[in-house]
Each structure stands twice: as structure tokens, then as C-alpha cells.
Amino acid sequence: MDDQLAIPVGTTLDRFIMRKQEEFPYATGELSQLLRDIALATKIVNREINRAGLIALAGTFGQQNVQGEEQQKLDVIANIRFIRALRNGGEVCTVISEEEDHLIQTGNTNGKYIVAIDPLDGSSNIDVNVAIGTIFSVYRRVSEAGDDGTLADCLQKGAKQVAAGYIIFGSSTMLVYTTGCGVNGFTYEPSLGEFFLSHPLISTPREGKIYSCNEGNIRSFPEGVRAYLDYCKEQNYTGRYIGSLVADFHRNLLKGGIYIYPPTTNYPNGKLRLVYECNALAMIVEQAGGKATDGSGRILDKTPTELHQRCPLLIGSRDMVDKVHKFMAKEAVPTAG
Ligand code: AHG
Ligand code: MN
Ligand code: MN
């Protein structure tokens, strides 16, 4: 960590990755290459996202592009681009994606790594020009190299992540990631085609004043969460909800706050996906000094049983997460008499 203090703001992502690799004399450079592959795919997806408005316009002339091909939706495009970059890179044997039902075998049977990805998060915000994102987790395979990755490789608990990150396509594009030694954020400079270190060693405030949830569902929130939201209002906290998890999480990470997606009538296990969304953000928030739970235990300790399993999420500033838990515990205590 001390070494990182010597890596100045403005360092390019490539150089940063190289410097980090040098800190581990036995590192083979494969994880570094994997991160570069993700950065490359991000640049391509960023270009597609910025053109999305024009693509929609073109769509009004018959839903086809100039080659006469059907226009694809951005979440499909993002899925294809990330998978292609990871396949071409060679370090990943298997990709699992929120957009795919099954394991995607890259054919790189000697690849050491598994990547789980939500290629486009906040997809309902695409058409209205609001911030969206990408979320990814990297695991080391547990099966022997030399063959395809297995379901067991993909169903490791979040604590086993070797790296995790997200990309936010907002007023600027940022890539934020951790390899377990702190969290660093890089801002994209499109005219140079480079990411530059802009947010070194992000640490999230211990306490915050922002709460983020879809209050339209409040009637079906657990009693303890409702009581906590009343408390937030008594405290004059600020309510902020974009509806793109990445964007809500990113704001709260930097400013201090809590994001809550509890069980609801429509989503009895919460809406978010443990493997594609919750685990990566949980690793990042913990690395930044915050906390992530499912309302009863640590997200990173949950062993997934299914690729697409959903899970409640309470994530953000440590004291705020602890406070909701206190309200939820009261709910659980049977009243006397
Ligand atoms: P995705 O676009 O990857 O399906 O994820 C959508 C998620 C998440 O980004 C967001 O926070 C949440 O859905 C919003 O859900 P509600 O519309 O129910 O609030
Ligand atoms: Mn998502
Ligand atoms: Mn998605």
C-alpha cells in the first residue's frame, strides 16, 4: 500500500497495472492482462453507448444499420464485446454473464480465471440517457487447468474473488477496481483513448447522509427497513435513487450513504443477482472500508447455489449498514405480552 502512495494521480491504467504487478515478484501477468482486456472492451462499449442516441435515431428508419443488419440492444452488444475481449485475451477459461443462461466456455482451457459479469447494469436507463454501468468479478478456477471451467468454479463465494470492479458510464466514464489491496478509480479520456488514475485508494465515509432505495415498493419492505427509512427522514437525510445500481453505489461510495434493495412482494429474495452484482460491489465496499450484507450476514460469505440467484442487498457506509441491522433486529424481537 505504501508503494501505491508513490503512484501519482494521472498515471495511466496500463502503467498502474504494470506497477502493481511488479509489487508481486511471482505474478505471471495473467491477471494484469485480464484487467487490460476488460479495459479494452470498456472503451468499445463506451463508444457504442455514446452512439446509442444516434442508433435509436437510425432505428426510426427501419431498425437496421447501414449494413442492413438488425440493430442490437446495448445490453446484448455489451455482453458480446466483453465476452469477445475475454476470449481473445486468453486468461479466462469460463465467463458467466447475467445475459446468458449457461456457462460460456472461451476455449482457453489453460486459462486460470473465471469472470462473472453484468455487462450492462441499469438497462432501463439506456433509452433516457441516464448513467449505466458494468460490474465484474474475477475468480481463480478451482478445477484443474487443461479443460473447460466447471459450475463449481463459478459458484465460489464472493470472499474468493481475486479482483472485482465496475465501470460507470456517466458524465464521464470511470473504471473502479480492486485486487484486494484497496480500491482505485480511473477516469477515461476519450480523445486520448486512455484511463487515468483519478481516485487513488478510495475510502468510503464511515457514516453518510444519503439513502437509496426504490421507495415505490416501501409497502412491501420488511418492517425493520421501513423503520430505518423513517429514521432517515427524521434525521433529514437525502434520498437519492437513480435505478442503476452502479451509479447509486458509486455516488454513495464517494459521498457516504447506503443502498438498500430488500425483499419485496415482486422479488421475495430481493432483485439483485448475488453472482453478477452483489459480490463485486461487496468486495469493493469492504476494501473501501464499508459494509455489505443481505440483511442477516455478510454478502461475501454466501455460497451461491445457482448462477442467477437473487439476494437482498444492504451496502454502503459501515455505520449506516449497522444501523439498519439494529432496526431489523428490533423487528425480530417478539414484543412482550
Ligand atoms: P440490470 O439492468 O442489470 O437488469 O439491473 C437493474 C437493477 C439495478 O441496476 C437497479 O438498481 C435495480 O435493478 C432497479 O430496480 P427497480 O427498478 O426495481 O428499482
Ligand atoms: Mn444489473
Ligand atoms: Mn444487466
Side-chain angles (χ1 to χ4, degrees):
M1 287 264 239
D2 282 353
D3 261 12
Q4 188 181 319
L5 297 176
I7 305 184
V9 164
T11 301
T12 66
L13 176 63
D14 274 356
R15 197 166 178 78
F16 182 91
I17 291 172
M18 202 173 75
R19 289 281 298 272
K20 286 286 166 195
Q21 189 189 319
E22 286 163 1
E23 287 172 23
F24 297 96
Y26 301 108
T28 57
E30 288 159 288
L31 182 59
S32 300
Q33 186 53 44
L34 193 166
L35 293 168
R36 282 191 210 102
D37 298 339
I38 287 180
L40 173 64
T42 301
K43 292 178 192 178
I44 297 167
V45 171
N46 183 65
R47 191 186 60 191
E48 306 285 355
I49 288 172
N50 289 335
R51 289 205 309 223
L54 290 170
I55 291 172
L57 194 65
T60 62
F61 296 102
Q63 298 291 329
Q64 288 186 342
N65 64 14
V66 279
Q67 283 87 34
E69 296 161 341
E70 288 294 315
Q71 285 297 347
Q72 286 167 311
K73 291 178 68 178
L74 266 183
D75 37 15
V76 178
I77 293 175
N79 186 46
I80 292 169
R81 292 299 189 175
F82 279 105
I83 292 170
R84 191 178 294 167
L86 294 168
R87 180 177 280 135
N88 291 344
E91 289 73 28
V92 175
C93 58
T94 306
V95 182
I96 47 171
S97 163
E98 194 200 61
E99 294 291 325
E100 308 266 353
D101 288 339
H102 306 290
L103 276 58
I104 304 138
Q105 303 297 357
T106 61
N108 306 314
T109 49
N110 285 319
K112 270 195 216 159
Y113 295 104
I114 307 286
V115 169
I117 192 159
D118 176 358
L120 213 126
D121 172 67
S123 37
S124 65
N125 279 325
I126 297 169
D127 292 345
V128 288
N129 216 350
V130 171
I132 49 183
T134 297
I135 307 173
F136 64 92
S137 295
V138 183
Y139 297 86
R140 195 168 284 118
R141 71 189 295 175
V142 287
S143 62
E144 287 291 315
D147 209 339
D148 286 342
T150 63
L151 187 60
D153 288 327
C154 300
L155 294 179
Q156 299 184 59
K157 61 182 178 183
K160 296 283 183 190
Q161 290 169 105
V162 293
Y166 64 85
I167 297 126
I168 174 164
F169 303 96
S171 47
S172 60
T173 296
M174 280 188 72
L175 189 153
V176 176
Y177 82 95
T178 181
T179 52
C181 306
V183 182
N184 291 281
F186 299 79
T187 302
Y188 186 55
E189 214 301 3
S191 66
L192 299 174
E194 287 275 16
F195 284 95
F196 293 96
L197 179 63
S198 53
H199 295 65
L201 286 178
I202 296 172
S203 110
T204 194
R206 203 186 159 102
E207 176 62 278
K209 293 192 181 326
I210 300 174
Y211 68 95
S212 311
C213 64
N214 185 342
E215 274 196 283
N217 297 325
I218 195 163
R219 287 175 176 213
S220 64
F221 284 1
E223 195 55 50
V225 175
R226 286 162 64 171
Y228 175 72
L229 294 174
D230 280 344
Y231 167 83
C232 291
K233 286 166 191 154
E234 281 159 24
Q235 300 294 312
N236 289 320
Y237 285 179
T238 296
R240 288 280 183 273
Y241 190 70
I242 294 168
S244 292
L245 171 63
V246 164
D248 282 307
F249 174 82
H250 179 73
R251 179 201 53 243
N252 292 356
L253 182 75
L254 298 184
K255 295 197 164 192
I258 185 167
Y259 176 100
I260 305 175
Y261 209 115
T264 64
T265 310
N266 286 344
Y267 297 105
N269 296 315
K271 180 183 181 190
L272 302 170
R273 317 279 182 164
L274 174 60
V275 176
Y276 306 110
E277 294 171 314
C278 303
N279 274 339
L281 300 186
M283 180 176 183
I284 289 169
V285 87
E286 286 197 3
Q287 283 291 317
K291 208 162 171 174
T293 78
D294 64 355
S296 47
R298 186 176 174 233
I299 290 285
L300 295 181
D301 286 335
K302 288 173 78 82
T303 302
T305 51
E306 283 171 48
L307 291 176
H308 292 271
Q309 108 186 42
R310 297 180 194 268
C311 129
L313 180 65
L314 295 90
I315 190 165
S317 293
R318 173 169 290 272
D319 288 354
M320 295 180 92
V321 175
D322 287 343
K323 193 78 172 181
V324 197
H325 272 255
K326 289 206 175 99
F327 279 96
M328 293 176 81
K330 270 190 211 153
E331 173 197 347
V333 175
T335 45

